[in-house]
Amino acid sequence: MRVMKEKEIKQTREEQTNQPALINGHAHGPRVSVLASACAFTCQREHVKELQSRILSLASAFSGHVPVASCGADASDAIFVLPLGEPCGHRVVVVWLVLLAAWRNAEAHYHDRSVGSLGRNFRPSTLKQATTSAGQNPSTAAGNTGMDEANGNKAAVADIQSSAAGTAKPEPPSESQSLLRTRRWIVLSFWAIVVCFGLPHWLWTTSTYRASLPLEQMNNWAEGKACQLYFPFNIRLGVQGWSQGEVDQLAEQVRPLLDGTDKQSPFAFLIDTHESDCGYAQADEAVAVSLAVNDGRNAHEHISSLESWSSTLSLRYGLARPKGRDGLARWVADEVREVFQPQIESLIHLLSGTPFALERTALTTAATQAKLDARNTRAFKYASTYHLTFSLFVSGSSPAAWEIEEALHDYLEPLIDALKAISNITVDTQVQLHASFSPSIACPVYDKSSKEWKLRKEDLSGFINAAEWPLSPSIGSGPTINFVLYAPTPTQSPLVIAETGGSSWLVPQWGGVAILNSQTHTTRLSKADLEPTMLTFADQLTSLIGLPAEPAQSLALRLKALSRERATSLILSSSSTLGALSRLTLKLTSIAIPDTVAASVQTSLDHLTLACSDLKAGRYESALTHARTADEASEKAFFEPSMVGQVYFPDEHKVAVYVPLLGPMAVPLVMIGLKELVKFRDARRKVKTG
């Protein structure tokens, strides 16, 4: 059956190809034979349905007539046949020729895309006109000649084929000049609003105010160029029983012996021999030397002593010694230098490693260096105010009270009053019962030989029970210095340190601890009971404040030495803070600098200048006051709250904020602006070339 059907199909093809076709009763052999052979072709079954749907839709849209198509039932091939003998006549022939040309063009070059272009490029009016002239019914067309019909068909087909084969993209309708100008004015208005109003407002609202700072002066102080530190020691020399001329002559002999041969030393000794001098009303007196010369035959002794509460050096010189009066100047110079040598070493150590240090000044021994380092390690950093807290912690229930106010008044108040010239000091007290020492340390061990409870030295640092004892780390603006008196139970007394046998120790930069080993059971500690403890606390206070240990005989000279050191350290600290602030403002260009910072910086610079002048003139107390004000102002400027919050403000945060906000608005404006610029450029080129 299959072979017979294939033979029938083949025979049908040959018959349609060889016999002439009739169109409106006329024979057109060769032309219709070519058309018939083109219309009968073989295609794969999987493409038939798609081909049929597209061509049928096009034919129906443009000619209003759907050609009858039949496919063979064979599984491998299908025959698509156009019946030419139907009454549709010329109209079907013309439509089918156009569709065949379109299909061949699509198959060869553009596939489905060109078929779509064909539908867009066809003009139904032209097609309708061509098919109308070619598709008259037989009765009306009988009066026309065959040549006119052929010419009309050729013209219609040529017109439609030229339209279908055209590949040029149709030009959009031209835009009027008024619409073009309107669109450009709209785009320009948007850009004008953005540039004239949006951008300035954004810059104004996001800009940071930066007050002007004297960076050059700040850097000069930080580099040690603004002030050359100079430390004069004013000495008033008086000799009992000598005339003014003799005293002046002795001063001239002593002065070069004190200054030495180093002319670049920052230390100088200024000797004055007048009892009353208006110049000393403005300058601090470092020491007053009271010399008594004994010219007796048995005067062989040289005696030197310092007064405790006065900066007075008392000297007694015996002329009966071998050198006699010739050795007097050398001996006086040696005694005065011995008094000031610890202060000179301390100042050199303080200046070492800073821009103000002199290369030629150096410590003499490593032992002195270690001693000064240990003193600085124990002491608190300088503060304008210190808070002293005296606490009584009792292991049991007694003693429950103490006469602390009377004890402080008699034993500590004189020292506190003397220290007020350097820092303000406040005092508060407290008592807590049933307070045991820290459980983190080992329990004391009883020594039968000495009948004492021993506390190991390594446990001293953990003796304070910070979890249960109410010890505030700071009260107010300044640091708190804690003094703890611990009273153990009678069954655990006396309690001492195993290695030293002592009952008190110092905690660096925290305070002092003392153990009260009372042999009597009392419910109230009297002033007499507290005397040893108060003296211990007084000694610990001098170490925690940073008071020099020498000269040990004169507290007044030690306080003056501390005043010089604190004034110098505050000048160094303030200069360093100003330099750090200058580097910070130069590194972080986006950080805000309010006017308060500029005012604080200027205040610090002014007081630094005054402090340097007072220091050179020997007015150490006034220098300390100005240096303290300068340091407070520089710290206030550096730690300005509005600046600290912006120090760690990353640029990535700005990008994350601005890109989602400005991106969606900026992209359309930029694209339409570029598009209009390109159109404007092309228009100008056409005008020039035209």
Side-chain angles (χ1 to χ4, degrees):
M1 292 294 294
R2 183 175 179 179
V3 176
M4 293 177 64
K5 184 174 287 188
E6 289 180 358
K7 290 181 179 181
E8 291 177 359
I9 293 172
K10 186 175 180 181
Q11 183 178 359
T12 304
R13 290 180 183 174
E14 292 177 355
E15 292 177 354
Q16 290 179 355
T17 303
N18 296 328
Q19 67 180 359
L22 293 176
I23 299 177
N24 292 341
H26 299 278
H28 300 277
R31 181 168 63 88
V32 178
S33 299
V34 174
L35 180 61
S37 62
C39 291
F41 58 94
T42 303
C43 59
Q44 296 295 327
R45 174 171 291 276
E46 56 266 21
H47 299 296
V48 169
K49 291 186 179 181
E50 182 181 0
L51 203 87
Q52 283 183 339
S53 61
R54 294 190 182 185
I55 294 179
L56 290 177
S57 61
L58 290 174
S60 175
F62 293 113
S63 66
H65 176 78
V66 180
V68 180
S70 61
C71 293
D74 188 82
S76 59
D77 294 328
I79 303 300
F80 195 74
V81 180
L82 178 65
L84 300 180
E86 292 183 352
C88 58
H90 293 73
R91 182 182 301 177
V92 177
V93 174
V94 172
V95 172
W96 184 248
L97 182 61
V98 172
L99 296 179
L100 180 61
W103 169 249
R104 289 181 176 179
N105 188 21
E107 185 181 24
H109 301 285
Y110 302 102
H111 300 284
D112 292 342
R113 181 179 177 183
S114 296
V115 174
S117 300
L118 174 64
R120 290 194 302 268
N121 293 331
F122 279 166
R123 290 179 293 178
S125 60
T126 305
L127 181 63
K128 184 177 181 181
Q129 182 179 359
T131 53
T132 302
S133 65
Q136 298 176 358
N137 54 51
S139 60
T140 307
N144 298 329
T145 61
M147 186 61 67
D148 293 336
E149 293 176 358
N151 292 336
N153 292 337
K154 288 181 180 180
V157 171
D159 185 23
I160 297 174
Q161 285 183 339
S162 61
S163 298
T167 59
K169 186 177 180 180
E171 291 291 336
S174 60
E175 191 175 14
S176 63
Q177 292 296 327
S178 60
L179 293 177
L180 183 61
R181 285 193 300 269
T182 302
R183 186 176 69 252
R184 289 180 178 176
W185 275 111
I186 293 174
V187 175
L188 184 61
S189 64
F190 272 101
W191 273 105
I193 293 173
V194 170
V195 174
C196 298
F197 297 99
L199 186 61
H201 181 73
W202 174 66
L203 293 176
W204 176 67
T205 54
T206 58
S207 62
T208 55
Y209 177 74
R210 293 173 62 89
S212 178
L213 297 179
L215 299 179
E216 184 177 358
Q217 299 181 37
M218 296 165 65
N219 293 329
N220 289 338
W221 276 101
E223 297 171 1
K225 300 178 181 178
C227 177
Q228 183 65 44
L229 298 183
Y230 182 73
F231 304 94
F233 298 103
N234 299 312
I235 301 171
R236 180 168 55 85
L237 178 62
V239 184
Q240 299 177 7
W242 283 26
S243 64
Q244 185 65 38
E246 291 176 333
V247 176
D248 292 341
Q249 184 179 3
L250 178 62
E252 292 296 330
Q253 296 174 1
V254 173
R255 185 177 294 109
L257 296 175
L258 288 174
D259 292 336
T261 59
D262 189 2
K263 302 301 181 181
Q264 297 183 356
S265 175
F267 308 101
F269 295 90
L270 307 179
I271 301 177
D272 183 42
T273 58
H274 297 82
E275 291 295 333
S276 60
D277 188 14
C278 60
Y280 276 97
Q282 301 176 356
D284 293 345
E285 188 176 274
V287 66
V289 179
S290 177
L291 176 63
V293 179
N294 188 358
D295 55 358
R297 293 182 179 181
N298 297 325
H300 298 284
E301 295 180 352
H302 298 340
I303 302 174
S304 173
S305 63
L306 290 169
E307 296 183 10
S308 177
W309 295 98
S310 175
S311 57
T312 302
L313 175 63
S314 298
L315 301 176
R316 295 182 64 86
Y317 184 79
L319 294 178
R321 301 192 69 169
K323 292 185 179 181
R325 192 164 184 172
D326 295 337
L328 177 60
R330 170 65 64 180
W331 182 73
V332 171
D334 291 342
E335 292 297 323
V336 173
R337 178 171 284 278
E338 184 180 356
V339 171
F340 289 103
Q341 185 62 30
Q343 300 181 31
I344 293 175
E345 293 176 350
S346 178
L347 291 173
I348 292 175
H349 177 264
L350 186 61
L351 293 175
S352 62
T354 67
F356 295 89
L358 297 176
E359 296 180 358
R360 299 183 58 182
T361 58
L363 295 176
T364 55
T365 60
T368 304
Q369 177 82 25
K371 182 176 63 176
L372 293 174
D373 288 338
R375 179 164 72 91
N376 294 334
T377 302
R378 291 192 302 267
F380 279 86
K381 182 183 179 181
Y382 175 78
S384 59
T385 302
Y386 293 100
H387 304 282
L388 306 183
T389 300
F390 294 89
S391 305
L392 174 62
F393 294 104
V394 183
S395 179
S397 58
S398 63
W402 57 340
E403 297 178 356
I404 186 61
E405 294 183 2
E406 294 81 356
L408 289 174
H409 180 270
D410 292 347
Y411 304 119
L412 278 177
E413 192 169 305
L415 176 60
I416 293 175
D417 291 340
L419 291 173
K420 285 183 178 179
I422 301 174
S423 300
N424 296 324
I425 295 178
T426 62
V427 179
D428 63 280
T429 64
Q430 62 178 341
V431 177
Q432 182 174 349
L433 304 179
H434 304 285
S436 60
F437 51 81
S438 177
S440 61
I441 65 174
C443 294
V445 179
Y446 183 73
D447 187 3
K448 295 182 180 180
S449 60
S450 61
K451 296 182 180 181
E452 294 176 337
W453 290 86
K454 301 290 186 178
L455 189 65
R456 295 184 304 176
K457 188 176 181 179
E458 55 267 21
D459 294 332
L460 298 181
S461 59
F463 183 84
I464 304 299
N465 192 350
E468 299 181 5
W469 294 1
L471 297 172
S472 177
S474 62
I475 301 175
S477 59
T480 298
I481 303 177
N482 296 279
F483 294 100
V484 175
L485 177 60
Y486 180 74
T489 59
T491 58
Q492 208 175 33
S493 180
L495 180 62
V496 297
I497 302 174
E499 287 78 6
T500 61
S503 59
S504 63
W505 64 91
L506 183 73
V507 180
Q509 298 185 13
W510 186 86
V513 181
I515 299 176
L516 180 63
N517 294 312
S518 179
Q519 300 299 328
T520 61
H521 181 73
T522 179
T523 59
R524 183 180 180 86
L525 296 177
S526 64
K527 183 180 68 174
D529 296 333
L530 294 175
E531 180 180 0
T533 303
M534 292 295 106
L535 294 179
T536 300
F537 286 162
D539 184 64
Q540 292 175 347
L541 178 60
T542 58
S543 298
L544 294 170
I545 290 294
L547 195 67
E550 297 177 350
Q553 300 86 356
S554 177
L555 179 62
L557 289 176
R558 294 165 64 189
L559 290 173
K560 288 187 175 181
L562 180 61
S563 178
R564 297 186 190 97
E565 293 180 14
R566 294 311 189 191
T568 305
S569 65
L570 288 176
I571 291 176
L572 298 178
S573 175
S574 180
S575 301
S576 176
T577 303
L578 291 177
L581 181 59
S582 174
R583 294 189 296 270
L584 178 66
T585 55
L586 292 176
K587 183 178 180 179
L588 302 178
T589 56
S590 61
I591 191 173
I593 303 177
D595 291 331
T596 55
V597 173
S600 299
V601 168
Q602 190 60 46
T603 301
S604 180
L605 291 174
D606 295 341
H607 284 277
L608 277 176
T609 303
L610 295 175
C612 183
S613 301
D614 291 337
L615 200 66
K616 291 179 178 179
R619 299 185 292 268
Y620 294 105
E621 291 185 2
S622 178
L624 176 60
T625 302
H626 290 298
R628 180 167 54 236
T629 306
D631 185 66
E632 291 175 354
S634 62
E635 292 288 332
K636 181 181 178 182
F638 188 83
F639 293 103
E640 173 67 25
S642 60
M643 292 178 58
V644 173
Q646 301 179 26
V647 171
Y648 303 103
F649 192 82
D651 293 335
E652 291 79 2
H653 181 75
K654 301 177 183 178
V655 175
V657 170
Y658 290 132
V659 168
L661 178 64
L662 301 180
M665 295 187 296
V667 171
L669 287 175
V670 172
M671 295 302 295
I672 192 63
L674 294 176
K675 184 177 180 180
E676 291 300 325
L677 288 176
V678 171
K679 288 183 178 181
F680 180 75
R681 183 193 62 183
D682 295 342
R684 290 182 61 89
R685 288 181 177 178
K686 289 181 179 179
V687 171
K688 290 181 179 180
T689 55

